[in-house]
Amino acid sequence: MKSRIRKAVFPVGGLGTRFLPATKAMPKEMLTVVDKPLIHYAVEEAAAAGIEEFIFVTGRGKQAIEDHFDFSFELEDNLKAKGRKDMLDAMRAWLPRPGQVAYTRQQEPLGLGHAVWCARHLVGDEPFAVLLADDMVLSDSPCLKQLVDAQAKVGGNVVAVMDVPRDQVSRYGVIAPGKDDGRLAEVTGIVEKPAPEKAPSTLCVIGRYVLMPEVFDHLAAHRKGAGGEVQLTDALAKMIGHGPFHGLRFEGERFDCGDKLGFLQATLAFALAREDLGAGLESYLRGMFEGRRKPKRPGGAR
Ligand code: UTP
C-alpha cells in the first residue's frame, strides 16, 4: 500500500441550510472570503500539503465548483485582448492540471460519511485526506500539511482537533484522548454530537482528516447516526484499536464558515492578514469602534 498522501476528497454535497438564502442557488463552498471561494482555499491548502489528485463529491446545483476549476475561454480571450497577461498567468497558475481533478456525485445528501464513501473507487487502497471547505484555518503552516507531517511519523488515522467550550461540543465529533503529549493525542473513543455532560472530553474534530482506506469498509454499512445522517465519526469509531489513531492539536485559528458569524470572522481575519488589504481594513475598523464612524444599517436589512 502507498503511504504518501496523494489524494484528497472534498465533500461538497451538503445543502448549506445554515447559510440560506445565500445557498439557495449557489453552493456554500462558493461563498467568497475576500476574493476567493471557500473551496479554492481548501484546494490550495491541499496542494500545499503535497496533494496531487483532487476528488470532489458534488451534488445537484454544484456546477459552479466544476466551472471554477475549469478553463473559461471567454474570460481568457477577453483578458488576452485587453493585454492582461499578468491576470491570465495568475489564473492559469492555480488551475489544476488536466486529469488532476475528478468529480463524483452524491445523489442524496445522506451525510458526510456517505459523501466520503461515494469517493471509494476514486481513492482506492491508499491513505487519503478529507477537507471540509467550510472549515477554514488561518495558520503559519497549512493545517493539512501539519496533519500529513504528523501522519508520516505515527501512521494510521490522524484528525485535526481543537479545544471547544463544553457547552458547544454537541456541534462536533468529540474524541476520548488516551496517551497525550499535548500536541498529539491517541484517540481511544470518538462520538458524534454528544450532549455536553456526556462528552468524553472537549477535544473536537474539525474538517481536516488523514484516513486509512479501511474506513470505506465501515462506511459501506450506511448506518445512520446522529441527526439521521451517515456519520463519518461512527465509521472512525469502528477503527479504534485496529491501528494507530491520533488527534492533532493543529497550530492556527479555525473558522466555521458554514455559520454566518464564523464566516464574517473569517472574512475579517483573512483580510486583516493580507498585505494589500490589512492596513486599510484595520483603520476602517478602528474608526468604527472608536466611535468616529457609526455602523449603518442598509435599508431593509434584518
Ligand atoms: P455540514 O454539516 O456543514 O452540512 O456538512 P451542510 O448540509 O453542508 O450545511 P448545513 O448544516 O445544512 O448548513 C459538512 C461538510 O460535509 C459536506 C458538506 O458539503 C460540508 O462540506 N456534506 C454534508 C456532504 O458532502 N454531503 C452530505 O450529505 C452532508
Side-chain angles (χ1 to χ4, degrees), residues 10-20 23 28-29 57-58 62 106 108-116 131-135 193 229-230 256 258-259:
F10 301 86
V12 292
L15 296 178
T17 51
R18 285 173 296 153
F19 227 117
L20 283 167
T23 47
K28 169 169 76 172
E29 299 77 13
V57 182
T58 71
K62 302 279 179 169
Q106 185 191 24
E108 278 182 280
L110 297 178
L112 175 60
H114 181 259
V116 171
L131 295 96
L132 306 188
D134 46 357
D135 268 346
K193 299 190 174 55
E229 297 193 348
V230 180
D256 176 7
D259 167 79

PDB file of all heavy atoms in Angstrom, residues 10-20 23 28-29 57-58 62 106 108-116 131-135 193 229-230 256 258-259, ligand 1:
ATOM      1  N   PHE A  10     -12.954  16.150  -1.275  1.00  0.00           N
ATOM      2  CA  PHE A  10     -13.657  17.370  -0.863  1.00  0.00           C
ATOM      3  C   PHE A  10     -15.163  17.090  -0.933  1.00  0.00           C
ATOM      4  O   PHE A  10     -15.736  17.134  -2.032  1.00  0.00           O
ATOM      5  CB  PHE A  10     -13.308  18.535  -1.801  1.00  0.00           C
ATOM      6  CG  PHE A  10     -11.840  18.854  -1.860  1.00  0.00           C
ATOM      7  CD1 PHE A  10     -11.004  18.165  -2.734  1.00  0.00           C
ATOM      8  CD2 PHE A  10     -11.295  19.824  -1.036  1.00  0.00           C
ATOM      9  CE1 PHE A  10      -9.643  18.441  -2.783  1.00  0.00           C
ATOM     10  CE2 PHE A  10      -9.937  20.111  -1.076  1.00  0.00           C
ATOM     11  CZ  PHE A  10      -9.104  19.409  -1.958  1.00  0.00           C
ATOM     12  N   PRO A  11     -15.781  16.769   0.198  1.00  0.00           N
ATOM     13  CA  PRO A  11     -17.237  16.546   0.146  1.00  0.00           C
ATOM     14  C   PRO A  11     -17.937  17.896   0.033  1.00  0.00           C
ATOM     15  O   PRO A  11     -17.817  18.732   0.929  1.00  0.00           O
ATOM     16  CB  PRO A  11     -17.545  15.871   1.496  1.00  0.00           C
ATOM     17  CG  PRO A  11     -16.205  15.586   2.126  1.00  0.00           C
ATOM     18  CD  PRO A  11     -15.244  16.566   1.544  1.00  0.00           C
ATOM     19  N   VAL A  12     -18.626  18.098  -1.068  1.00  0.00           N
ATOM     20  CA  VAL A  12     -19.307  19.389  -1.271  1.00  0.00           C
ATOM     21  C   VAL A  12     -20.775  19.162  -1.628  1.00  0.00           C
ATOM     22  O   VAL A  12     -21.372  19.942  -2.354  1.00  0.00           O
ATOM     23  CB  VAL A  12     -18.592  20.258  -2.349  1.00  0.00           C
ATOM     24  CG1 VAL A  12     -17.234  20.706  -1.855  1.00  0.00           C
ATOM     25  CG2 VAL A  12     -18.437  19.513  -3.675  1.00  0.00           C
ATOM     26  N   GLY A  13     -21.330  18.067  -1.100  1.00  0.00           N
ATOM     27  CA  GLY A  13     -22.706  17.712  -1.454  1.00  0.00           C
ATOM     28  C   GLY A  13     -23.752  18.231  -0.488  1.00  0.00           C
ATOM     29  O   GLY A  13     -24.941  18.010  -0.700  1.00  0.00           O
ATOM     30  N   GLY A  14     -23.327  18.926   0.570  1.00  0.00           N
ATOM     31  CA  GLY A  14     -24.284  19.378   1.600  1.00  0.00           C
ATOM     32  C   GLY A  14     -25.180  20.497   1.088  1.00  0.00           C
ATOM     33  O   GLY A  14     -24.914  21.114   0.056  1.00  0.00           O
ATOM     34  N   LEU A  15     -26.266  20.748   1.829  1.00  0.00           N
ATOM     35  CA  LEU A  15     -27.258  21.727   1.375  1.00  0.00           C
ATOM     36  C   LEU A  15     -26.976  23.135   1.880  1.00  0.00           C
ATOM     37  O   LEU A  15     -27.496  24.104   1.338  1.00  0.00           O
ATOM     38  CB  LEU A  15     -28.663  21.292   1.832  1.00  0.00           C
ATOM     39  CG  LEU A  15     -29.162  19.974   1.230  1.00  0.00           C
ATOM     40  CD1 LEU A  15     -30.528  19.627   1.802  1.00  0.00           C
ATOM     41  CD2 LEU A  15     -29.222  20.047  -0.290  1.00  0.00           C
ATOM     42  N   GLY A  16     -26.178  23.259   2.931  1.00  0.00           N
ATOM     43  CA  GLY A  16     -25.826  24.582   3.441  1.00  0.00           C
ATOM     44  C   GLY A  16     -27.014  25.354   3.974  1.00  0.00           C
ATOM     45  O   GLY A  16     -27.120  26.574   3.780  1.00  0.00           O
ATOM     46  N   THR A  17     -27.902  24.671   4.687  1.00  0.00           N
ATOM     47  CA  THR A  17     -29.137  25.339   5.145  1.00  0.00           C
ATOM     48  C   THR A  17     -28.865  26.460   6.142  1.00  0.00           C
ATOM     49  O   THR A  17     -29.655  27.393   6.239  1.00  0.00           O
ATOM     50  CB  THR A  17     -30.105  24.324   5.793  1.00  0.00           C
ATOM     51  OG1 THR A  17     -29.375  23.591   6.775  1.00  0.00           O
ATOM     52  CG2 THR A  17     -30.672  23.366   4.774  1.00  0.00           C
ATOM     53  N   ARG A  18     -27.742  26.366   6.877  1.00  0.00           N
ATOM     54  CA  ARG A  18     -27.463  27.433   7.853  1.00  0.00           C
ATOM     55  C   ARG A  18     -27.136  28.755   7.170  1.00  0.00           C
ATOM     56  O   ARG A  18     -27.049  29.778   7.810  1.00  0.00           O
ATOM     57  CB  ARG A  18     -26.292  27.021   8.765  1.00  0.00           C
ATOM     58  CG  ARG A  18     -26.669  25.993   9.812  1.00  0.00           C
ATOM     59  CD  ARG A  18     -25.459  25.506  10.552  1.00  0.00           C
ATOM     60  NE  ARG A  18     -24.540  24.794   9.686  1.00  0.00           N
ATOM     61  CZ  ARG A  18     -23.232  24.698   9.877  1.00  0.00           C
ATOM     62  NH1 ARG A  18     -22.686  25.300  10.907  1.00  0.00           N
ATOM     63  NH2 ARG A  18     -22.479  24.024   9.040  1.00  0.00           N
ATOM     64  N   PHE A  19     -26.877  28.701   5.876  1.00  0.00           N
ATOM     65  CA  PHE A  19     -26.471  29.925   5.185  1.00  0.00           C
ATOM     66  C   PHE A  19     -27.508  30.361   4.160  1.00  0.00           C
ATOM     67  O   PHE A  19     -27.193  31.076   3.213  1.00  0.00           O
ATOM     68  CB  PHE A  19     -25.099  29.752   4.527  1.00  0.00           C
ATOM     69  CG  PHE A  19     -24.176  30.905   4.807  1.00  0.00           C
ATOM     70  CD1 PHE A  19     -23.010  30.718   5.520  1.00  0.00           C
ATOM     71  CD2 PHE A  19     -24.493  32.191   4.379  1.00  0.00           C
ATOM     72  CE1 PHE A  19     -22.156  31.778   5.799  1.00  0.00           C
ATOM     73  CE2 PHE A  19     -23.652  33.253   4.652  1.00  0.00           C
ATOM     74  CZ  PHE A  19     -22.487  33.047   5.357  1.00  0.00           C
ATOM     75  N   LEU A  20     -28.757  29.919   4.333  1.00  0.00           N
ATOM     76  CA  LEU A  20     -29.825  30.410   3.452  1.00  0.00           C
ATOM     77  C   LEU A  20     -30.081  31.884   3.749  1.00  0.00           C
ATOM     78  O   LEU A  20     -29.879  32.315   4.884  1.00  0.00           O
ATOM     79  CB  LEU A  20     -31.104  29.590   3.693  1.00  0.00           C
ATOM     80  CG  LEU A  20     -31.102  28.200   3.057  1.00  0.00           C
ATOM     81  CD1 LEU A  20     -32.249  27.360   3.598  1.00  0.00           C
ATOM     82  CD2 LEU A  20     -31.187  28.301   1.530  1.00  0.00           C
ATOM     83  N   THR A  23     -27.388  30.280  -0.029  1.00  0.00           N
ATOM     84  CA  THR A  23     -27.053  28.966  -0.595  1.00  0.00           C
ATOM     85  C   THR A  23     -28.228  28.314  -1.323  1.00  0.00           C
ATOM     86  O   THR A  23     -28.179  27.130  -1.627  1.00  0.00           O
ATOM     87  CB  THR A  23     -26.589  28.038   0.547  1.00  0.00           C
ATOM     88  OG1 THR A  23     -27.529  28.169   1.630  1.00  0.00           O
ATOM     89  CG2 THR A  23     -25.214  28.415   1.043  1.00  0.00           C
ATOM     90  N   LYS A  28     -22.594  26.385  -1.077  1.00  0.00           N
ATOM     91  CA  LYS A  28     -21.967  27.023   0.089  1.00  0.00           C
ATOM     92  C   LYS A  28     -20.463  27.179  -0.122  1.00  0.00           C
ATOM     93  O   LYS A  28     -19.859  28.161   0.289  1.00  0.00           O
ATOM     94  CB  LYS A  28     -22.248  26.137   1.307  1.00  0.00           C
ATOM     95  CG  LYS A  28     -21.485  26.488   2.544  1.00  0.00           C
ATOM     96  CD  LYS A  28     -22.000  25.746   3.761  1.00  0.00           C
ATOM     97  CE  LYS A  28     -21.587  24.290   3.813  1.00  0.00           C
ATOM     98  NZ  LYS A  28     -21.938  23.653   5.093  1.00  0.00           N
ATOM     99  N   GLU A  29     -19.874  26.201  -0.783  1.00  0.00           N
ATOM    100  CA  GLU A  29     -18.417  26.193  -0.950  1.00  0.00           C
ATOM    101  C   GLU A  29     -17.933  27.279  -1.904  1.00  0.00           C
ATOM    102  O   GLU A  29     -16.736  27.522  -2.026  1.00  0.00           O
ATOM    103  CB  GLU A  29     -17.952  24.815  -1.458  1.00  0.00           C
ATOM    104  CG  GLU A  29     -18.265  23.670  -0.512  1.00  0.00           C
ATOM    105  CD  GLU A  29     -19.723  23.209  -0.527  1.00  0.00           C
ATOM    106  OE1 GLU A  29     -20.470  23.612  -1.445  1.00  0.00           O
ATOM    107  OE2 GLU A  29     -20.102  22.458   0.391  1.00  0.00           O
ATOM    108  N   VAL A  57     -16.786  15.404  -4.213  1.00  0.00           N
ATOM    109  CA  VAL A  57     -18.063  14.686  -4.141  1.00  0.00           C
ATOM    110  C   VAL A  57     -19.145  15.752  -4.163  1.00  0.00           C
ATOM    111  O   VAL A  57     -19.362  16.450  -3.167  1.00  0.00           O
ATOM    112  CB  VAL A  57     -18.159  13.821  -2.865  1.00  0.00           C
ATOM    113  CG1 VAL A  57     -19.477  13.049  -2.861  1.00  0.00           C
ATOM    114  CG2 VAL A  57     -16.971  12.866  -2.777  1.00  0.00           C
ATOM    115  N   THR A  58     -19.774  15.902  -5.311  1.00  0.00           N
ATOM    116  CA  THR A  58     -20.694  17.022  -5.509  1.00  0.00           C
ATOM    117  C   THR A  58     -22.144  16.555  -5.413  1.00  0.00           C
ATOM    118  O   THR A  58     -22.414  15.384  -5.116  1.00  0.00           O
ATOM    119  CB  THR A  58     -20.468  17.701  -6.870  1.00  0.00           C
ATOM    120  OG1 THR A  58     -20.916  16.829  -7.884  1.00  0.00           O
ATOM    121  CG2 THR A  58     -19.017  18.031  -7.104  1.00  0.00           C
ATOM    122  N   LYS A  62     -24.278  22.145  -7.990  1.00  0.00           N
ATOM    123  CA  LYS A  62     -22.896  22.440  -7.597  1.00  0.00           C
ATOM    124  C   LYS A  62     -21.982  22.692  -8.802  1.00  0.00           C
ATOM    125  O   LYS A  62     -20.766  22.656  -8.691  1.00  0.00           O
ATOM    126  CB  LYS A  62     -22.335  21.284  -6.759  1.00  0.00           C
ATOM    127  CG  LYS A  62     -23.127  20.982  -5.496  1.00  0.00           C
ATOM    128  CD  LYS A  62     -22.782  21.932  -4.359  1.00  0.00           C
ATOM    129  CE  LYS A  62     -23.607  21.620  -3.122  1.00  0.00           C
ATOM    130  NZ  LYS A  62     -23.154  22.321  -1.931  1.00  0.00           N
ATOM    131  N   GLN A 106     -22.834  12.651  -5.187  1.00  0.00           N
ATOM    132  CA  GLN A 106     -23.639  12.068  -4.111  1.00  0.00           C
ATOM    133  C   GLN A 106     -25.083  12.406  -4.463  1.00  0.00           C
ATOM    134  O   GLN A 106     -25.478  13.569  -4.400  1.00  0.00           O
ATOM    135  CB  GLN A 106     -23.226  12.701  -2.764  1.00  0.00           C
ATOM    136  CG  GLN A 106     -23.914  12.085  -1.582  1.00  0.00           C
ATOM    137  CD  GLN A 106     -23.694  12.898  -0.293  1.00  0.00           C
ATOM    138  OE1 GLN A 106     -23.430  14.096  -0.330  1.00  0.00           O
ATOM    139  NE2 GLN A 106     -23.808  12.240   0.833  1.00  0.00           N
ATOM    140  N   GLU A 108     -27.897  11.828  -3.082  1.00  0.00           N
ATOM    141  CA  GLU A 108     -28.734  12.336  -1.981  1.00  0.00           C
ATOM    142  C   GLU A 108     -27.817  12.765  -0.853  1.00  0.00           C
ATOM    143  O   GLU A 108     -26.876  12.018  -0.548  1.00  0.00           O
ATOM    144  CB  GLU A 108     -29.598  11.206  -1.416  1.00  0.00           C
ATOM    145  CG  GLU A 108     -30.850  10.885  -2.148  1.00  0.00           C
ATOM    146  CD  GLU A 108     -31.570   9.768  -1.392  1.00  0.00           C
ATOM    147  OE1 GLU A 108     -31.179   8.608  -1.559  1.00  0.00           O
ATOM    148  OE2 GLU A 108     -32.485  10.079  -0.616  1.00  0.00           O
ATOM    149  N   PRO A 109     -28.069  13.900  -0.210  1.00  0.00           N
ATOM    150  CA  PRO A 109     -27.192  14.319   0.896  1.00  0.00           C
ATOM    151  C   PRO A 109     -27.500  13.526   2.167  1.00  0.00           C
ATOM    152  O   PRO A 109     -28.187  13.991   3.056  1.00  0.00           O
ATOM    153  CB  PRO A 109     -27.509  15.810   1.056  1.00  0.00           C
ATOM    154  CG  PRO A 109     -28.895  15.977   0.526  1.00  0.00           C
ATOM    155  CD  PRO A 109     -29.136  14.888  -0.474  1.00  0.00           C
ATOM    156  N   LEU A 110     -26.964  12.310   2.235  1.00  0.00           N
ATOM    157  CA  LEU A 110     -27.294  11.403   3.348  1.00  0.00           C
ATOM    158  C   LEU A 110     -26.345  11.570   4.529  1.00  0.00           C
ATOM    159  O   LEU A 110     -26.457  10.863   5.513  1.00  0.00           O
ATOM    160  CB  LEU A 110     -27.278   9.949   2.861  1.00  0.00           C
ATOM    161  CG  LEU A 110     -28.311   9.598   1.788  1.00  0.00           C
ATOM    162  CD1 LEU A 110     -28.172   8.143   1.358  1.00  0.00           C
ATOM    163  CD2 LEU A 110     -29.732   9.861   2.286  1.00  0.00           C
ATOM    164  N   GLY A 111     -25.381  12.475   4.385  1.00  0.00           N
ATOM    165  CA  GLY A 111     -24.450  12.715   5.486  1.00  0.00           C
ATOM    166  C   GLY A 111     -23.008  12.678   5.014  1.00  0.00           C
ATOM    167  O   GLY A 111     -22.701  12.160   3.931  1.00  0.00           O
ATOM    168  N   LEU A 112     -22.123  13.236   5.849  1.00  0.00           N
ATOM    169  CA  LEU A 112     -20.703  13.324   5.490  1.00  0.00           C
ATOM    170  C   LEU A 112     -20.093  11.940   5.245  1.00  0.00           C
ATOM    171  O   LEU A 112     -19.318  11.750   4.299  1.00  0.00           O
ATOM    172  CB  LEU A 112     -19.946  14.064   6.606  1.00  0.00           C
ATOM    173  CG  LEU A 112     -18.442  14.144   6.462  1.00  0.00           C
ATOM    174  CD1 LEU A 112     -18.049  14.861   5.175  1.00  0.00           C
ATOM    175  CD2 LEU A 112     -17.821  14.852   7.670  1.00  0.00           C
ATOM    176  N   GLY A 113     -20.456  10.961   6.088  1.00  0.00           N
ATOM    177  CA  GLY A 113     -19.904   9.614   5.921  1.00  0.00           C
ATOM    178  C   GLY A 113     -20.285   9.045   4.560  1.00  0.00           C
ATOM    179  O   GLY A 113     -19.459   8.437   3.860  1.00  0.00           O
ATOM    180  N   HIS A 114     -21.503   9.257   4.162  1.00  0.00           N
ATOM    181  CA  HIS A 114     -21.974   8.768   2.857  1.00  0.00           C
ATOM    182  C   HIS A 114     -21.235   9.479   1.722  1.00  0.00           C
ATOM    183  O   HIS A 114     -20.850   8.848   0.734  1.00  0.00           O
ATOM    184  CB  HIS A 114     -23.485   8.988   2.753  1.00  0.00           C
ATOM    185  CG  HIS A 114     -24.077   8.511   1.468  1.00  0.00           C
ATOM    186  ND1 HIS A 114     -24.386   9.369   0.450  1.00  0.00           N
ATOM    187  CD2 HIS A 114     -24.376   7.261   1.030  1.00  0.00           C
ATOM    188  CE1 HIS A 114     -24.872   8.664  -0.563  1.00  0.00           C
ATOM    189  NE2 HIS A 114     -24.881   7.388  -0.235  1.00  0.00           N
ATOM    190  N   ALA A 115     -21.004  10.787   1.897  1.00  0.00           N
ATOM    191  CA  ALA A 115     -20.286  11.550   0.861  1.00  0.00           C
ATOM    192  C   ALA A 115     -18.867  10.989   0.681  1.00  0.00           C
ATOM    193  O   ALA A 115     -18.415  10.774  -0.450  1.00  0.00           O
ATOM    194  CB  ALA A 115     -20.230  13.035   1.240  1.00  0.00           C
ATOM    195  N   VAL A 116     -18.192  10.718   1.780  1.00  0.00           N
ATOM    196  CA  VAL A 116     -16.814  10.188   1.687  1.00  0.00           C
ATOM    197  C   VAL A 116     -16.843   8.811   1.033  1.00  0.00           C
ATOM    198  O   VAL A 116     -16.011   8.493   0.166  1.00  0.00           O
ATOM    199  CB  VAL A 116     -16.148  10.142   3.090  1.00  0.00           C
ATOM    200  CG1 VAL A 116     -14.828   9.405   3.049  1.00  0.00           C
ATOM    201  CG2 VAL A 116     -15.949  11.567   3.621  1.00  0.00           C
ATOM    202  N   LEU A 131     -10.988  17.131   3.273  1.00  0.00           N
ATOM    203  CA  LEU A 131     -11.055  18.536   3.697  1.00  0.00           C
ATOM    204  C   LEU A 131     -12.484  19.042   3.544  1.00  0.00           C
ATOM    205  O   LEU A 131     -13.080  18.884   2.475  1.00  0.00           O
ATOM    206  CB  LEU A 131     -10.162  19.443   2.846  1.00  0.00           C
ATOM    207  CG  LEU A 131      -8.658  19.222   2.932  1.00  0.00           C
ATOM    208  CD1 LEU A 131      -8.199  18.331   1.783  1.00  0.00           C
ATOM    209  CD2 LEU A 131      -7.914  20.544   2.864  1.00  0.00           C
ATOM    210  N   LEU A 132     -13.027  19.618   4.596  1.00  0.00           N
ATOM    211  CA  LEU A 132     -14.330  20.282   4.517  1.00  0.00           C
ATOM    212  C   LEU A 132     -14.063  21.762   4.288  1.00  0.00           C
ATOM    213  O   LEU A 132     -13.485  22.440   5.151  1.00  0.00           O
ATOM    214  CB  LEU A 132     -15.123  20.065   5.806  1.00  0.00           C
ATOM    215  CG  LEU A 132     -15.290  18.604   6.241  1.00  0.00           C
ATOM    216  CD1 LEU A 132     -16.255  18.513   7.412  1.00  0.00           C
ATOM    217  CD2 LEU A 132     -15.750  17.726   5.094  1.00  0.00           C
ATOM    218  N   ALA A 133     -14.463  22.220   3.103  1.00  0.00           N
ATOM    219  CA  ALA A 133     -14.088  23.579   2.708  1.00  0.00           C
ATOM    220  C   ALA A 133     -14.687  24.647   3.607  1.00  0.00           C
ATOM    221  O   ALA A 133     -14.146  25.749   3.712  1.00  0.00           O
ATOM    222  CB  ALA A 133     -14.506  23.816   1.260  1.00  0.00           C
ATOM    223  N   ASP A 134     -15.807  24.324   4.274  1.00  0.00           N
ATOM    224  CA  ASP A 134     -16.406  25.363   5.112  1.00  0.00           C
ATOM    225  C   ASP A 134     -15.659  25.556   6.429  1.00  0.00           C
ATOM    226  O   ASP A 134     -15.929  26.503   7.156  1.00  0.00           O
ATOM    227  CB  ASP A 134     -17.911  25.138   5.325  1.00  0.00           C
ATOM    228  CG  ASP A 134     -18.257  23.716   5.677  1.00  0.00           C
ATOM    229  OD1 ASP A 134     -17.340  22.869   5.707  1.00  0.00           O
ATOM    230  OD2 ASP A 134     -19.438  23.442   5.936  1.00  0.00           O
ATOM    231  N   ASP A 135     -14.725  24.686   6.750  1.00  0.00           N
ATOM    232  CA  ASP A 135     -13.818  24.926   7.870  1.00  0.00           C
ATOM    233  C   ASP A 135     -12.562  25.571   7.307  1.00  0.00           C
ATOM    234  O   ASP A 135     -11.848  24.961   6.505  1.00  0.00           O
ATOM    235  CB  ASP A 135     -13.421  23.601   8.547  1.00  0.00           C
ATOM    236  CG  ASP A 135     -14.337  23.243   9.697  1.00  0.00           C
ATOM    237  OD1 ASP A 135     -15.103  24.123  10.148  1.00  0.00           O
ATOM    238  OD2 ASP A 135     -14.297  22.095  10.142  1.00  0.00           O
ATOM    239  N   LYS A 193     -21.563  14.494  18.014  1.00  0.00           N
ATOM    240  CA  LYS A 193     -22.571  15.387  18.624  1.00  0.00           C
ATOM    241  C   LYS A 193     -23.096  14.876  19.972  1.00  0.00           C
ATOM    242  O   LYS A 193     -24.315  14.711  20.152  1.00  0.00           O
ATOM    243  CB  LYS A 193     -23.728  15.621  17.651  1.00  0.00           C
ATOM    244  CG  LYS A 193     -23.273  16.301  16.355  1.00  0.00           C
ATOM    245  CD  LYS A 193     -24.431  16.751  15.498  1.00  0.00           C
ATOM    246  CE  LYS A 193     -23.989  17.547  14.293  1.00  0.00           C
ATOM    247  NZ  LYS A 193     -23.012  16.937  13.398  1.00  0.00           N
ATOM    248  N   GLU A 229     -28.152  11.018   9.936  1.00  0.00           N
ATOM    249  CA  GLU A 229     -27.201  11.037   8.811  1.00  0.00           C
ATOM    250  C   GLU A 229     -26.154   9.935   8.959  1.00  0.00           C
ATOM    251  O   GLU A 229     -25.876   9.482  10.074  1.00  0.00           O
ATOM    252  CB  GLU A 229     -26.481  12.393   8.767  1.00  0.00           C
ATOM    253  CG  GLU A 229     -27.432  13.541   8.505  1.00  0.00           C
ATOM    254  CD  GLU A 229     -26.706  14.826   8.140  1.00  0.00           C
ATOM    255  OE1 GLU A 229     -25.478  14.897   8.304  1.00  0.00           O
ATOM    256  OE2 GLU A 229     -27.395  15.751   7.682  1.00  0.00           O
ATOM    257  N   VAL A 230     -25.572   9.510   7.835  1.00  0.00           N
ATOM    258  CA  VAL A 230     -24.459   8.563   7.876  1.00  0.00           C
ATOM    259  C   VAL A 230     -23.229   9.373   8.295  1.00  0.00           C
ATOM    260  O   VAL A 230     -22.767  10.248   7.560  1.00  0.00           O
ATOM    261  CB  VAL A 230     -24.226   7.897   6.494  1.00  0.00           C
ATOM    262  CG1 VAL A 230     -23.066   6.914   6.573  1.00  0.00           C
ATOM    263  CG2 VAL A 230     -25.495   7.207   6.012  1.00  0.00           C
ATOM    264  N   ASP A 256     -15.639  28.442  11.376  1.00  0.00           N
ATOM    265  CA  ASP A 256     -16.728  27.661  10.790  1.00  0.00           C
ATOM    266  C   ASP A 256     -17.473  28.553   9.807  1.00  0.00           C
ATOM    267  O   ASP A 256     -18.365  29.309  10.187  1.00  0.00           O
ATOM    268  CB  ASP A 256     -17.666  27.165  11.898  1.00  0.00           C
ATOM    269  CG  ASP A 256     -18.870  26.428  11.316  1.00  0.00           C
ATOM    270  OD1 ASP A 256     -18.903  26.201  10.085  1.00  0.00           O
ATOM    271  OD2 ASP A 256     -19.777  26.079  12.087  1.00  0.00           O
ATOM    272  N   GLY A 258     -19.522  27.751   7.560  1.00  0.00           N
ATOM    273  CA  GLY A 258     -20.879  27.316   7.241  1.00  0.00           C
ATOM    274  C   GLY A 258     -21.889  28.043   8.124  1.00  0.00           C
ATOM    275  O   GLY A 258     -23.091  27.890   7.972  1.00  0.00           O
ATOM    276  N   ASP A 259     -21.350  28.840   9.051  1.00  0.00           N
ATOM    277  CA  ASP A 259     -22.162  29.579  10.011  1.00  0.00           C
ATOM    278  C   ASP A 259     -21.920  31.071   9.735  1.00  0.00           C
ATOM    279  O   ASP A 259     -20.789  31.469   9.455  1.00  0.00           O
ATOM    280  CB  ASP A 259     -21.669  29.170  11.402  1.00  0.00           C
ATOM    281  CG  ASP A 259     -22.188  30.062  12.485  1.00  0.00           C
ATOM    282  OD1 ASP A 259     -23.347  29.857  12.867  1.00  0.00           O
ATOM    283  OD2 ASP A 259     -21.450  30.955  12.944  1.00  0.00           O
TER     284      ASP A 259
HETATM  285  P1  UTP B   1     -22.449  20.356   7.212  1.00  0.00           P
HETATM  286  O1  UTP B   1     -22.646  19.615   8.469  1.00  0.00           O
HETATM  287  O2  UTP B   1     -21.941  21.753   7.304  1.00  0.00           O
HETATM  288  O3  UTP B   1     -23.829  20.295   6.418  1.00  0.00           O
HETATM  289  O4  UTP B   1     -21.502  19.485   6.282  1.00  0.00           O
HETATM  290  P2  UTP B   1     -24.347  21.164   5.212  1.00  0.00           P
HETATM  291  O5  UTP B   1     -25.530  20.471   4.653  1.00  0.00           O
HETATM  292  O6  UTP B   1     -23.266  21.479   4.227  1.00  0.00           O
HETATM  293  O7  UTP B   1     -24.757  22.552   5.875  1.00  0.00           O
HETATM  294  P3  UTP B   1     -25.955  22.925   6.885  1.00  0.00           P
HETATM  295  O8  UTP B   1     -25.636  22.285   8.187  1.00  0.00           O
HETATM  296  O9  UTP B   1     -27.241  22.449   6.254  1.00  0.00           O
HETATM  297  O10 UTP B   1     -25.905  24.424   6.939  1.00  0.00           O
HETATM  298  C1  UTP B   1     -20.117  19.425   6.454  1.00  0.00           C
HETATM  299  C2  UTP B   1     -19.482  19.110   5.125  1.00  0.00           C
HETATM  300  O11 UTP B   1     -19.938  17.869   4.625  1.00  0.00           O
HETATM  301  C3  UTP B   1     -20.492  18.023   3.329  1.00  0.00           C
HETATM  302  C4  UTP B   1     -20.860  19.492   3.227  1.00  0.00           C
HETATM  303  O12 UTP B   1     -20.878  19.908   1.869  1.00  0.00           O
HETATM  304  C5  UTP B   1     -19.782  20.149   4.055  1.00  0.00           C
HETATM  305  O13 UTP B   1     -18.584  20.309   3.314  1.00  0.00           O
HETATM  306  N1  UTP B   1     -21.640  17.131   3.188  1.00  0.00           N
HETATM  307  C6  UTP B   1     -22.556  17.048   4.191  1.00  0.00           C
HETATM  308  C7  UTP B   1     -21.790  16.369   2.052  1.00  0.00           C
HETATM  309  O14 UTP B   1     -20.943  16.431   1.119  1.00  0.00           O
HETATM  310  N2  UTP B   1     -22.863  15.534   1.950  1.00  0.00           N
HETATM  311  C8  UTP B   1     -23.783  15.428   2.931  1.00  0.00           C
HETATM  312  O15 UTP B   1     -24.733  14.617   2.779  1.00  0.00           O
HETATM  313  C9  UTP B   1     -23.637  16.208   4.075  1.00  0.00           C
END
